[in-house]
Amino acid sequence: MTRRSTRETSDGSGVSRDAALDAAGFAAAGVPPAAWAAPGARRAHATGKDPWARFGWLMAVIWLVFLVYPVIALVRSEAQLPWVVVGWVALVAFVVLYVTGFLHGMRGGGGLGRTPSRRQWLTFVALIVCVLVSVPAEGGSALSFLPFIMSFASYGLTRVWHWITTVAAVALTAVCVFLLPGGMTYLSVLAIVALLGVVNTVSSWLILRSAEAERLGLELATSEGREALARDVHDLIGHSLTVVGLKAQLVRRLMDSDPERAKAELADIERLTAEAIAGVRSTVSGARTTTLVEQLASSRDSFRAADIELQVEGEPDALSPVQALTASWILREATTNTLRHSRARTVRVQLSPGRMVLEDDGVGIGARAGGGADEGNGVRGMRDRAAAAGAALAVGAADAAGGTGTRVELTW
């Protein structure tokens, strides 16, 4: 930055106001946004892995070098000694308060959409007091503190106080320029303060928008995760309860005619119930995995309990492991729907590379649920799973003779 030639000021300090405010203005404009700004900066501080968390405070210290101009003003001050001493104490206090307030803001002290802590407010007031008590000794050079106070308010306090501080700083500088004797020497200071107000306004608005977008993205991801979890639980519970209900009906019929088989079916009910409970628990914990081979065996057992024959054409390893995982969920839900609604006698599953087809010879999808053709949660869940896996799902009439039955086709 080019330093202008030093001119004698109205307060006798001999310090270039233009240079002082030009340097401090751009310095303060660049520091707090980087520190308080990024939403990830606060989280990174907790982990200690982000460089900003460890070295961001250095930026506050580095830019404070531009307070050398108030130092020069104090050295050359012609004010009474007590005021000069007060000025030195105020300058040191300002530096300490600014740096500690900077660190507190990085560590979650508030600002940029978050409620500022009490410490932030007290720091802001103390900074202003330091500036006021230094005026008798520094004169107009005390304006060098304004950019730091403006930035502290913009990034460490609320949006309302950003505007209050910005307007007050611009107004105060304008008064010095147009009303004080020799005030035109501060004209460039006014331009710097006004420019800094614009920079802080735009950058803090962008930071808030970025944080809001991040929050909305997190809410969306959470919502999608809950929807996926609800779909998994629906598939598990719906399938298990359907099979348990069918076996319970079978036990009722066998209790008198075949007690031994009835006992075996009751044992299956207990097993299915335990598996459903374990499945829900593992799904909630995110650890639920079912292979296609396991699901084919489970579907075969479920159909057998309902006197439905399952025919499998092809091998499960025709699908890749990722495809097989999605196919197992689709097969589970299709099995549940067939048991509940189809009144079928035969179900055929065809497996080939990148493709799974399930057909039954039941009443057909248009005749289910009293003739309604609207898709239920089960079919919508299958479509969502297929879409998430990059596959296409088609549900319609089977190709069997007579046009009855339902066909579910999953393709990649």
Side-chain angles (χ1 to χ4, degrees), residues 128-154:
I128 295 177
V129 171
C130 289
V131 175
L132 292 177
V133 299
S134 67
V135 171
E138 298 176 9
S141 295
L143 291 174
S144 298
F145 294 106
L146 284 182
F148 296 94
I149 293 178
M150 291 171 62
S151 295
F152 190 94
S154 298

Side-chain angles (χ1 to χ4, degrees), residues 170-187 190:
V170 172
L172 176 61
T173 308
V175 168
C176 292
V177 170
F178 298 111
L179 298 184
L180 293 182
M184 292 306 293
T185 58
Y186 298 101
L187 186 59
L190 177 60

Side-chain angles (χ1 to χ4, degrees), residues 111-396:
L112 288 178
R114 299 191 308 162
T115 302
S117 65
R118 182 184 180 187
R119 177 176 170 180
Q120 288 291 88
W121 291 109
L122 292 177
T123 300
F124 180 66
V125 173
L127 289 173
I128 295 177
V129 171
C130 289
V131 175
L132 292 177
V133 299
S134 67
V135 171
E138 298 176 9
S141 295
L143 291 174
S144 298
F145 294 106
L146 284 182
F148 296 94
I149 293 178
M150 291 171 62
S151 295
F152 190 94
S154 298
Y155 304 102
L157 301 180
T158 64
R159 195 68 173 167
V160 172
W161 276 94
H162 154 75
W163 286 110
I164 292 176
T165 307
T166 298
V167 172
V170 172
L172 176 61
T173 308
V175 168
C176 292
V177 170
F178 298 111
L179 298 184
L180 293 182
M184 292 306 293
T185 58
Y186 298 101
L187 186 59
S188 61
V189 174
L190 177 60
I192 293 298
V193 171
L195 177 61
L196 178 61
V198 174
V199 171
N200 285 346
T201 298
V202 174
S203 60
S204 60
W205 178 79
L206 291 175
I207 292 167
L208 288 173
R209 287 293 300 270
S210 177
E212 180 68 13
E214 183 179 4
R215 183 185 65 81
L216 292 176
L218 179 60
E219 290 181 357
L220 178 60
T222 302
S223 176
E224 291 176 348
R226 289 174 178 172
E227 182 180 349
L229 177 61
R231 185 169 60 244
D232 291 350
V233 173
H234 168 269
D235 292 349
L236 286 166
I237 294 298
H239 173 78
S240 299
L241 292 182
T242 298
V243 176
V244 167
L246 291 172
K247 285 184 174 291
Q249 296 175 10
L250 181 60
V251 168
R252 186 184 300 112
R253 295 197 301 267
L254 296 174
M255 287 182 62
D256 295 330
S257 60
D258 193 346
E260 292 301 321
R261 186 181 174 188
K263 292 180 181 179
E265 295 296 339
L266 284 174
D268 281 345
I269 290 177
E270 292 178 358
R271 177 181 58 80
L272 286 170
T273 303
E275 288 179 355
I277 294 173
V280 171
R281 287 175 177 171
S282 60
T283 297
V284 172
S285 64
R288 176 66 182 175
T289 55
T290 302
T291 66
L292 183 55
V293 173
E294 292 172 343
Q295 185 55 51
L296 283 169
S298 176
S299 296
R300 186 183 300 278
D301 183 66
S302 301
F303 285 137
R304 183 184 298 114
D307 293 327
I308 299 176
E309 179 186 2
L310 175 63
Q311 302 173 355
V312 180
E313 301 176 4
E315 297 297 331
D317 57 9
L319 300 177
S320 69
V322 175
Q323 293 172 343
L325 181 60
T326 303
S328 67
W329 281 107
I330 300 297
L331 178 58
R332 174 186 290 273
E333 182 59 32
T335 299
T336 302
N337 290 342
T338 300
L339 291 172
R340 285 179 175 176
H341 309 296
S342 71
R343 299 197 292 273
R345 305 306 302 170
T346 303
V347 175
R348 185 172 70 256
V349 176
Q350 298 174 325
L351 300 172
S352 58
R355 184 169 176 264
M356 182 184 75
V357 178
L358 184 145
E359 286 187 338
D360 65 59
D361 59 357
V363 298
I365 192 170
R368 298 179 181 182
D374 293 339
E375 293 183 350
N377 291 329
V379 176
R380 285 196 294 270
M382 288 193 293
R383 292 194 186 281
D384 290 343
R385 288 186 182 278
L393 182 76
V395 180

